[in-house]
Amino acid sequence: MTTWDGFQAFATTPMAAPPPPGTPPRRLEERLAYHSRFVTVRTPAIDALAKNVRTLMILGRHQTVTARPSLIVTGPAGAGKTTALLQVGRACHLAHTRRHGAAAAAGRVPVAYVLVPPAASAKTLATEFARYLGIPVAASMSQAQITNAVCHTYTSAGVQLVMIDEVHRLNPRTTTGAQSADLIKDLTERIGATFVYAGINVTTTPLFTGVRGAQLAGRASLIDCAAFPARLGDSEPFRDLVKAMEAALDLRHHRPGTLPKLAPYLHERTAGRIGSLARLVRQAAITALVDGTERITKTTLEAIRLDHLAEQHYRPCSRDTSTR
């Protein structure tokens, strides 16, 4: 995913989808593969990010004097930040191909996706940008030389959207972190693209502190990718999310409505995080396929161990309830 070939393969591979009504049943191997990939539910965070990215790309299209306005997707771990980022990147890539045609789009790179390495220095981060487009980097090259090569190649390739994930790893309070933050600022001013960042609870990290943090905060809008609440006014966002996932299941004996009825339990189990919920439903579906029951029940769900964060949230609540 963090190379152009990998991202292009992701963007052009058809998304997983349940079988249309009336089609012949799929083989077990096909359904196992389907539930392993599973559907991507369109969430409010994806919609908000897509709308804002589209607007900012138009806004910055002819802006050449200063860095273009940017976006930061923030929220807790497992809340779907990376998924939202990648889905918007996919949409941008496909829109570019539709607009210009496959032949004209060949050799152009509308979207770049880069991960911030742990304890990244400016040089290692610049190298990640180079690696995405396969720009040769020799050990003897300085950070400035790598950066110049990145800016030249990204501009020549027509990169329009740069997505930087795991941005919470940057700490401008340290020397290397400050240099990495300066590198990103330099790239935003030299590459004619819209920059979108994603990270865990970035407003509580050092990223927004000091002069560099103030510069970033002054240019970036926030998209909050929070956990889904059980209830929001008259609506039930989490139950709606569960319904959408249940509707996408390809299990022959599953009873529709089972999972929405378990929404309070599922919310407690996952703390409302879409990442934990998707993992729980996918694992339960695969378990039901393997054991031949072809249905998901609360017993099925209870037998599955989730990520440590979700389990730490759920188990103490269960113990407290059992002692009352």
Side-chain angles (χ1 to χ4, degrees), residues 29 244-245 264 313:
E29 292 77 10
M245 287 193 182
H313 169 82

Side-chain angles (χ1 to χ4, degrees), residues 49 52-53 56-57 60 66-73 85 110 112-114 125 129 150-151 154-155 159-165 167 180-198 216 219-221 223:
L49 182 60
N52 279 275
V53 166
L56 291 188
M57 289 179 72
T66 60
R68 291 158 177 76
S70 58
L71 287 169
I72 298 179
V73 185
L85 202 65
Y113 176 69
V114 176
L125 184 54
F129 276 88
V150 165
C151 293
Y154 274 54
T155 301
V159 176
Q160 300 171 1
L161 177 65
V162 176
M163 305 183 299
I164 305 178
D165 208 351
V167 75
S180 297
D182 287 342
L183 168 68
I184 291 178
K185 180 177 179 294
D186 189 25
L187 294 176
T188 63
E189 293 172 347
R190 296 176 61 185
I191 298 173
T194 298
F195 279 65
V196 181
Y197 314 91
L216 179 60
R219 291 176 174 173
S221 304
I223 300 290

Side-chain angles (χ1 to χ4, degrees), residues 41 43-45 75-81 224-231 236-242 245 262-281 306-307 309-314 317:
V41 177
T43 64
K81 298 178 298 300
D224 191 9
C225 198
F228 279 70
R231 183 174 291 278
E236 297 180 82
F238 185 78
R239 190 184 298 272
D240 292 341
L241 178 63
V242 172
M245 287 193 182
L262 293 173
Y265 158 76
L266 292 169
H267 193 272
E268 182 184 1
R269 185 82 194 270
T270 64
R273 288 188 289 266
I274 188 173
S276 298
L277 177 66
R279 175 175 171 178
L280 181 59
V281 172
L306 270 178
D307 56 274
L309 192 61
E311 292 295 341
Q312 286 294 102
H313 169 82
Y314 174 64
C317 293

Side-chain angles (χ1 to χ4, degrees), residues 1 16 20 27 61 71 73-74 77 79 86 103 109 129 133 141 156 185 196 228 240 244 263 273 280 283 286 290 321:
M1 195 75 76
R27 294 180 297 110
R61 189 171 293 164
L71 287 169
V73 185
T74 183
L86 292 175
V109 182
F129 276 88
L133 282 186
M141 291 176 68
S156 299
K185 180 177 179 294
V196 181
F228 279 70
D240 292 341
R273 288 188 289 266
L280 181 59
Q283 284 189 232
I286 290 171
V290 171
T321 302

Side-chain angles (χ1 to χ4, degrees), residues 90-108:
R90 179 207 289 268
C92 179
H93 173 87
L94 295 177
H96 177 83
T97 303
R98 285 194 303 269
R99 188 162 53 248
H100 299 286
R108 306 295 284 176

Side-chain angles (χ1 to χ4, degrees), residues 30-319:
E30 292 176 306
R31 291 188 295 142
L32 286 170
Y34 164 69
H35 287 100
S36 176
R37 291 180 60 203
F38 208 44
V39 297
T40 298
V41 177
R42 190 84 181 185
T43 64
I46 293 178
D47 289 338
L49 182 60
K51 180 180 179 181
N52 279 275
V53 166
R54 200 160 47 237
T55 301
L56 291 188
M57 289 179 72
I58 296 171
L59 181 65
R61 189 171 293 164
H62 303 291
Q63 184 173 332
T64 57
V65 178
T66 60
R68 291 158 177 76
S70 58
L71 287 169
I72 298 179
V73 185
T74 183
K81 298 178 298 300
T82 296
T83 298
L85 202 65
L86 292 175
Q87 290 307 314
V88 170
R90 179 207 289 268
C92 179
H93 173 87
L94 295 177
H96 177 83
T97 303
R98 285 194 303 269
R99 188 162 53 248
H100 299 286
R108 306 295 284 176
V109 182
V111 180
Y113 176 69
V114 176
L115 287 178
V116 176
S121 67
K123 186 173 183 178
T124 58
L125 184 54
T127 300
E128 284 299 301
F129 276 88
R131 189 172 67 84
Y132 181 81
L133 282 186
I135 302 169
V137 175
S140 59
M141 291 176 68
S142 66
Q143 180 231 311
Q145 289 173 317
I146 300 171
T147 302
N148 288 337
V150 165
C151 293
H152 172 75
T153 308
Y154 274 54
T155 301
S156 299
V159 176
Q160 300 171 1
L161 177 65
V162 176
M163 305 183 299
I164 305 178
D165 208 351
E166 306 289 347
V167 75
H168 57 272
R169 290 174 172 171
L170 293 177
N171 183 359
R173 292 177 181 171
T174 66
T175 301
T176 55
Q179 292 170 348
S180 297
D182 287 342
L183 168 68
I184 291 178
K185 180 177 179 294
D186 189 25
L187 294 176
T188 63
E189 293 172 347
R190 296 176 61 185
I191 298 173
T194 298
F195 279 65
V196 181
Y197 314 91
I200 297 173
N201 298 328
V202 296
T203 55
T204 62
T205 69
L207 190 63
F208 275 6
T209 60
V211 175
R212 293 175 178 85
Q215 286 180 322
L216 179 60
R219 291 176 174 173
S221 304
L222 286 181
I223 300 290
D224 191 9
C225 198
F228 279 70
R231 183 174 291 278
L232 185 63
D234 295 330
S235 64
E236 297 180 82
F238 185 78
R239 190 184 298 272
D240 292 341
L241 178 63
V242 172
K243 285 181 183 177
M245 287 193 182
E246 184 183 66
L249 292 172
D250 190 7
L251 300 174
R252 292 172 186 170
H253 305 306
H254 183 77
R255 295 177 181 174
T258 299
L259 296 187
K261 288 178 182 176
L262 293 173
Y265 158 76
L266 292 169
H267 193 272
E268 182 184 1
R269 185 82 194 270
T270 64
R273 288 188 289 266
I274 188 173
S276 298
L277 177 66
R279 175 175 171 178
L280 181 59
V281 172
R282 288 165 56 213
Q283 284 189 232
I286 290 171
T287 299
L289 286 169
V290 171
D291 66 21
T293 59
E294 299 255 358
R295 65 165 62 95
I296 298 176
T297 65
K298 187 173 181 179
T299 301
T300 314
L301 297 166
E302 277 287 292
I304 293 170
R305 296 291 293 179
L306 270 178
D307 56 274
H308 183 65
L309 192 61
E311 292 295 341
Q312 286 294 102
H313 169 82
Y314 174 64
R315 296 304 172 187
C317 293
S318 300
R319 287 195 293 270

